[in-house]
Amino acid sequence: METVKYLLSEDRMPTAWYNIAADLPAPPPAVLHPGTGQPIGPADLAPLFPMALILQEVSTERQIEIPDEVQAIYRQWRPTPLYRARRLEKALDTPAKIYYKYEGVSPAGSHKPNTAVAQAYYNKQEGVKRLITETGAGQWGSSLSFAGALFGLEVLVYMVKVSYNQKPYRRALMEAYGARVVASPSTETNAGRMILAEHPDSTGSLGIAISEAVEVAAQDPDARYALGSVLNHVLLHQTVIGQEALAQLEMAGDYPDIVVGCTGGGSNFAGIAFPFIGAKLRGERDVRVVAVEPAACPSLTKGRYAYDFGDTAKMTPMVKMHTLGHDFVPSGIHAGGLRYHGMAPLVSHLLELGQFEATAAQQLETFAAGLQFARAEGILPAPEANHAVAGAMREALRCKEAGESKTILFNLCGHGHFDMQAYTDYQAGKLKDFEYSDEEVAMALAGLPSVG
Amino acid sequence: METVKYLLSEDRMPTAWYNIAADLPAPPPAVLHPGTGQPIGPADLAPLFPMALILQEVSTERQIEIPDEVQAIYRQWRPTPLYRARRLEKALDTPAKIYYKYEGVSPAGSHKPNTAVAQAYYNKQEGVKRLITETGAGQWGSSLSFAGALFGLEVLVYMVKVSYNQKPYRRALMEAYGARVVASPSTETNAGRMILAEHPDSTGSLGIAISEAVEVAAQDPDARYALGSVLNHVLLHQTVIGQEALAQLEMAGDYPDIVVGCTGGGSNFAGIAFPFIGAKLRGERDVRVVAVEPAACPSLTKGRYAYDFGDTAKMTPMVKMHTLGHDFVPSGIHAGGLRYHGMAPLVSHLLELGQFEATAAQQLETFAAGLQFARAEGILPAPEANHAVAGAMREALRCKEAGESKTILFNLCGHGHFDMQAYTDYQAGKLKDFEYSDEEVAMALAGLPSVG
């Protein structure tokens, strides 16, 4: 019944983000202009992002200082706890040691505020008045709304229409923080109006919502665009997670044999894994790293490593990533935060370098794992986090079979308080597994741009 | 923008609960048998509670040791943070210092696990197999379900039918922890069947749900009943809140001039306030303590201090408390956790002794306060907690008028993640204020038993 919690004192909270670009044997491929197909420079991104974030996007400095004001806000919930899951170990009867880092203690309930606060700060510093973004399930939208409220920035969120209607409580949380939330596709943008003219009943997609947000941000000199995953600077901000975990495991006198994270766009995975992969790249310490993605959106396990757009309307730059194609519409599984057609370029690059393994999990396995975790550890995970729980449990059960006492670390990136319909459906037997055939994936990939 | 957080290290977590009975100038009035009207003894309560809890109910020891196993589970989320609300102070432009203790970091999202874990522990120790309880809004039911899962106890929850239907996500959380949840009135008990025979469309009440739970627990030798507020031992378990706050304010070099808590059954108020009231009773340190209750369920401000039953069906013992009458059905305000007809006997006794002030707040004031708090501090409070927020803000604004820099402490007893419909309704202008006339209260009080 024992709870083993490793809490860092505030003075040991990281004061710099860790930039893995400094430790890469080769830099990731260039980012290309959506129109010309030529490499872009910082100035090309200036209408969308503040210069401080653009410079972070291309930086190769290993340590990037966290501004005092961002640290001051992080301290509301950071350092987050690292737990040893002794009760889960007992339930699984495994000789493995399972540790989990818990990011659900943030005000918005996930790891997303780590970057939302930083992005809001840099935008405020550069005189920006409003932030425009998109959200699917709503984790990111609510985190940016929280950060915007603290810095006195207006926040406008294009929320995928199907989620806008199905997840009214995530919308309510954003509105409670003072944000304006618009169902996408909307009549407020050219991109939205074009979609609606052709498909009046469109329920929207993340790709369309990104197009709307980018369009509005690019046209308003007082506004900038904000993205919650995929980009280098977003992954950078999440590295506080893994850095803290390193220090906490040191307190425990331990080091992981295996690090597990779930992957959608790649930001929480990068947050927990990059500091450990960095140590491996520098030849300091070996580790096995496992990414767990949904079988219903298998960019790492079934996608192609190729140049692709970040949005359906092809307005964003092209990046080289593991992608299912920008037209890909993932099946309606409940881990909405993992339903993105592409993977962060840095994460994709590291997979190509053989620095981690990718695996897929079916929905039913992940919910079963999440419920077993909740009953043992008391915390109900978000459906996204259930993928990491399932991955860690697979490894723990392998240890049981092999009689090995390995040390497993995973990132519990958020709680499931806003995902109770998913648990209700699971317990009622209404959820199904889903997997794309190779033929279906090949069809989706046929639309990839012919560059790179 | 600064966050000021006072975190106690785990080794400073309280190892004993504080029992205010030791410091009372006079003991509270006796508990009476529901049938005979005579004082009851420990043996009378044995069918409902384990003996360890019955002994705590009547103990006058100042310190009651917290069992190691309970401490071990507390450490999952305790000590909870104490924050200085600097951003709220700035938003209010007040010279007051506002501190808040945040209990929403528990796995179930409120202070309720402080007693749920202790109750589950003592029941498990005495060989009990299942716990039976009732719940209204669901905070208590989900906390006992959480605790039951950790100790391998079955949990059965009678949930007021209107909440069962309107709050499916609280029910889903209880079921995720493995509890069985039954809409009350049900056909599973005599009490339920009697109500349904007379009122087939009954939407239930807390009083009826208590009757059902007590009936089932009393008949099953392997089961016991569990209550989430009102009783002495429940209030006792909550005193970890105020004890921690005392130590944290000492770290801050501060002591409150004013302590504010919201009141329903009285447990979170007791948790934050009793250690401070105790210091006052012992003549060590003065403090002003303010209880804020909903105007729509005004037991302290409009009720009578009299003997009454805890449930509608008159199955529970009679206790002397501030009550609106056991037949009182409070208006359907959203702070469901504060909708109870009576007040904890110890809290009532202390009001009679002049140890604190009681005040009422209307629903609209509390939601406005909660949203202002969320936008300043980032945490969205539960509707119950909004009453404490509103009370603290009233005091802070008085300080502004008077130009006084007082120190205010309040208890933020839970987050609002499961209460988003209430915020949606508030922002849509659908919520209303409500107040009972003196005549209506007098009518409800007419049904009080004629004892004491």
Side-chain angles (χ1 to χ4, degrees), chain A residues 142-155:
Chain A
S142 48
S143 298
L144 194 69
S145 302
F146 153 72
L150 298 197
F151 284 97
L153 290 165
E154 287 175 41
V155 174

Side-chain angles (χ1 to χ4, degrees), chain B residues 13-226:
Chain B
M13 191 179 78
T15 57
W17 293 298
Y18 164 64
N19 183 9
I20 200 164
D23 291 320
L24 292 174
V31 175
L32 305 182
H33 191 282
T36 66
Q38 295 303 306
I40 61 171
D44 293 304
L45 293 170
L48 291 184
F49 302 105
M51 195 46 68
L53 291 177
I54 295 170
L55 294 177
Q56 288 181 0
E57 192 67 17
V58 297
S59 169
T60 53
E61 293 290 313
R62 183 172 287 114
Q63 303 284 328
I64 296 180
E65 200 185 332
I66 306 174
D68 287 346
E69 206 161 356
V70 173
Q71 288 188 44
I73 294 173
Y74 277 179
R75 274 194 285 271
Q76 183 171 3
W77 70 94
R78 306 209 71 87
T80 62
L82 177 83
Y83 291 105
R84 169 93 182 264
R86 276 203 191 270
R87 297 191 294 249
L88 181 64
E89 291 168 14
K90 198 177 162 194
L92 296 174
D93 189 24
T94 175
K97 291 191 274 183
I98 307 174
Y99 294 90
Y100 61 99
K101 182 77 171 158
Y102 183 41
E103 290 291 307
V105 294
S106 80
S110 76
H111 64 295
K112 294 287 187 192
N114 294 331
T115 185
V117 169
Q119 292 189 45
Y121 168 79
Y122 288 116
N123 276 284
K124 180 76 177 183
Q125 284 292 105
E126 297 189 21
V128 173
K129 299 275 187 290
R130 62 193 68 92
L131 293 174
I132 325 286
T133 196
E134 72 292 320
T135 201
Q139 291 266 25
W140 166 243
S142 47
S143 298
L144 194 69
S145 302
F146 153 73
L150 298 197
F151 283 96
L153 290 165
E154 287 176 41
V155 174
L156 169 58
V157 183
Y158 288 92
M159 185 172 189
V160 177
K161 194 177 278 176
V162 59
S163 298
Y164 183 92
N165 292 324
Q166 285 178 351
K167 300 208 166 197
Y169 293 164
R170 269 285 173 196
R171 170 162 49 102
L173 181 60
M174 293 182 251
E175 290 172 347
Y177 286 132
R180 190 162 79 87
V181 186
V182 177
S184 167
S186 78
T187 56
E188 299 188 357
T189 65
N190 288 329
R193 284 187 293 267
M194 275 175 61
I195 297 282
L196 288 173
E198 207 173 331
H199 307 286
D201 299 330
S202 168
T203 55
S205 76
L206 212 43
I208 296 166
I210 294 176
S211 299
E212 292 205 90
V214 165
E215 177 185 326
V216 171
Q219 289 173 355
D220 178 352
D222 289 334
R224 289 295 181 279
Y225 172 66

Side-chain angles (χ1 to χ4, degrees), chain B residues 129-381:
Chain B
K129 299 275 187 290
R130 62 193 68 92
L131 293 174
I132 325 286
T133 196
E134 72 292 320
T135 201
Q139 291 266 25
W140 166 243
S142 47
S143 298
L144 194 69
S145 302
F146 153 73
L150 298 197
F151 283 96
L153 290 165
E154 287 176 41
V155 174
L156 169 58
V157 183
Y158 288 92
M159 185 172 189
V160 177
K161 194 177 278 176
V162 59
S163 298
Y164 183 92
N165 292 324
Q166 285 178 351
K167 300 208 166 197
Y169 293 164
R170 269 285 173 196
R171 170 162 49 102
L173 181 60
M174 293 182 251
E175 290 172 347
Y177 286 132
R180 190 162 79 87
V181 186
V182 177
S184 167
S186 78
T187 56
E188 299 188 357
T189 65
N190 288 329
R193 284 187 293 267
M194 275 175 61
I195 297 282
L196 288 173
E198 207 173 331
H199 307 286
D201 299 330
S202 168
T203 55
S205 76
L206 212 43
I208 296 166
I210 294 176
S211 299
E212 292 205 90
V214 165
E215 177 185 326
V216 171
Q219 289 173 355
D220 178 352
D222 289 334
R224 289 295 181 279
Y225 172 66
L227 190 64
S229 190
V230 178
L231 298 176
N232 300 352
H233 69 270
V234 180
L235 275 52
L236 172 80
H237 300 153
Q238 295 297 351
T239 58
V240 288
I241 302 171
Q243 290 185 77
E244 287 179 7
L246 262 167
Q248 288 164 313
L249 284 167
E250 197 178 305
M251 286 169 68
D254 226 331
Y255 197 89
D257 299 299
I258 306 160
V259 175
V260 180
C262 61
T263 47
S267 81
N268 101 79
F269 172 77
I272 190 83
F274 277 11
F276 293 94
I277 294 177
K280 182 161 68 166
L281 286 168
R282 294 190 302 274
E284 293 166 12
R285 189 94 192 221
D286 200 22
V287 68
R288 204 180 128 225
V289 177
V290 181
V292 187
E293 66 181 8
C297 192
S299 59
L300 287 173
T301 54
K302 293 203 170 180
R304 184 180 302 165
Y305 186 54
Y307 272 100
D308 198 6
F309 299 97
D311 69 328
T312 311
K314 309 181 190 178
M315 295 169 68
T316 69
M318 286 180 281
V319 291
K320 196 158 185 184
M321 59 182 176
H322 291 87
T323 178
L324 295 159
H326 55 273
D327 292 325
F328 184 79
V329 178
S331 135
I333 55 159
H334 272 290
L338 305 183
R339 289 171 59 203
Y340 186 64
H341 68 273
M343 179 51 58
L346 273 176
V347 173
S348 293
H349 185 58
L350 286 162
L351 183 64
E352 292 300 303
L353 292 172
Q355 289 297 317
F356 71 92
E357 305 160 30
T359 178
Q362 288 283 8
Q363 180 160 251
L364 295 181
E365 178 191 351
T366 65
F367 275 93
L371 276 188
Q372 185 168 12
F373 181 85
R375 291 175 191 179
E377 296 293 318
I379 300 169
L380 191 75

Side-chain angles (χ1 to χ4, degrees), chain A residues 290-361:
Chain A
V290 180
V292 186
E293 65 181 8
C297 192
S299 59
L300 287 172
T301 53
K302 293 204 170 178
R304 185 180 299 165
Y305 187 53
Y307 272 100
D308 198 5
F309 298 97
D311 69 327
T312 312
K314 309 179 189 180
M315 294 168 70
T316 69
M318 286 179 282
V319 291
K320 197 158 185 184
M321 60 181 175
H322 290 86
T323 178
L324 295 159
H326 56 272
D327 291 326
F328 183 80
V329 178
S331 137
I333 56 158
H334 272 291
L338 305 182
R339 289 172 60 203
Y340 185 63
H341 68 274
M343 179 51 58
L346 274 176
V347 173
S348 292
H349 186 58
L350 286 163
L351 183 63
E352 292 299 304
L353 292 171
Q355 289 297 317
F356 71 92
E357 304 159 31
T359 181

Side-chain angles (χ1 to χ4, degrees), chain A residues 1 3 5 10 69 72 75-76 78 83 87 107 150 169 172 175-177 375 377-378 417 421 427, chain B residues 1 3 5 10 69 72 75-76 78 83 87 107 150 169 172 175-177 375 377-378 417 421 424 427:
Chain A
M1 304 297 302
T3 302
K5 177 174 67 175
E10 282 190 5
E69 204 161 359
R75 275 195 283 270
Q76 183 171 2
R78 306 208 71 87
Y83 292 105
R87 297 191 295 249
L150 298 197
Y169 292 164
E175 290 171 347
Y177 286 133
R375 291 174 191 180
E377 296 294 318
H417 300 171
Q421 190 59 48
Q427 299 232 71
Chain B
M1 303 296 300
T3 303
K5 178 174 65 177
E10 281 189 7
E69 206 161 356
R75 274 194 285 271
Q76 183 171 3
R78 306 209 71 87
Y83 291 105
R87 297 191 294 249
L150 298 197
Y169 293 164
E175 290 172 347
Y177 286 132
R375 291 175 191 179
E377 296 293 318
H417 299 171
Q421 190 60 48
T424 302
Q427 297 232 72

